[in-house]
Amino acid sequence: MAILSGQRLTAARLAALLPVSGPWTDYGTPTTIWTASGSNPTIGNGSIVARYQLLGGAASKTCAFRIKINPGSTTTFGRGTYSFLLPFDIADEQTASAIFRDNSAATQFGGSAWLQSARTIHSVALSSGTLWSPTVPAPWSQNDRAEISGIYERA
């Protein structure tokens, strides 16, 4: 369908022009989504939600993703810098956005995630370049929140 000169653009006509996106779909498990370079964290009674959506339908190479981590009282934070799993291999190195909320101090820290190879976010860094770890951007604890989200081209 095309919009011809003189035609009014309505919601129905616009929807007919846009590709249909797939549903938001969960992926991975807590032990594969969040890992560390030393010993891995364990989510315990906290929660990890990792979801993706293919923008434009199942055959699309454009993937939106979101990872949310909410530590609980039995979460352990491992050792070393953190990595995160993506739903699909990436076509090329890209960046995404990240935010960490230190609940005890009511402070938020923004950063960038580096989608480096295969299905992995190899590092999440603050604007200073310091990588996320059990003590960065602040000591992680119960009721803090971390979120990484973005859109990337899958291989």
Side-chain angles (χ1 to χ4, degrees):
M1 167 191 256
I3 303 296
L4 302 175
S5 177
Q7 281 187 322
R8 207 168 133 209
L9 181 61
T10 64
R13 286 188 175 133
L14 181 60
L17 292 171
L18 297 175
V20 176
S21 294
W24 281 96
T25 305
D26 294 336
Y27 73 93
T29 64
T31 57
T32 61
I33 297 296
W34 183 26
T35 58
S37 60
S39 61
N40 287 334
T42 58
I43 197 62
N45 65 351
S47 66
I48 295 179
V49 176
R51 306 185 87 199
Y52 73 92
Q53 182 181 46
L54 296 177
L55 305 178
S60 175
K61 293 239 179 215
T62 306
C63 179
F65 75 96
R66 182 174 53 221
I67 300 168
K68 291 182 182 181
I69 300 173
N70 294 297
S73 61
T74 61
T75 299
T76 62
F77 299 96
R79 275 190 351 226
T81 57
Y82 292 142
S83 295
F84 303 89
L85 182 72
L86 292 166
F88 302 100
D89 287 355
I90 63 171
D92 196 7
E93 294 178 355
Q94 298 169 66
T95 58
S97 60
I99 191 162
F100 176 85
R101 177 163 173 78
D102 179 357
N103 192 54
S104 62
T107 304
Q108 296 186 79
F109 301 88
S112 297
W114 185 18
L115 289 61
Q116 187 178 3
S117 64
R119 292 178 64 186
T120 307
I121 298 171
H122 284 282
S123 57
V124 178
L126 301 172
S127 59
S128 65
T130 307
L131 302 179
W132 281 12
S133 70
T135 58
V136 175
W140 291 49
S141 64
Q142 179 179 357
N143 297 323
D144 287 344
R145 181 176 175 157
E147 185 170 339
I148 305 166
S149 60
I151 298 173
Y152 71 97
E153 181 185 1
R154 63 185 182 137

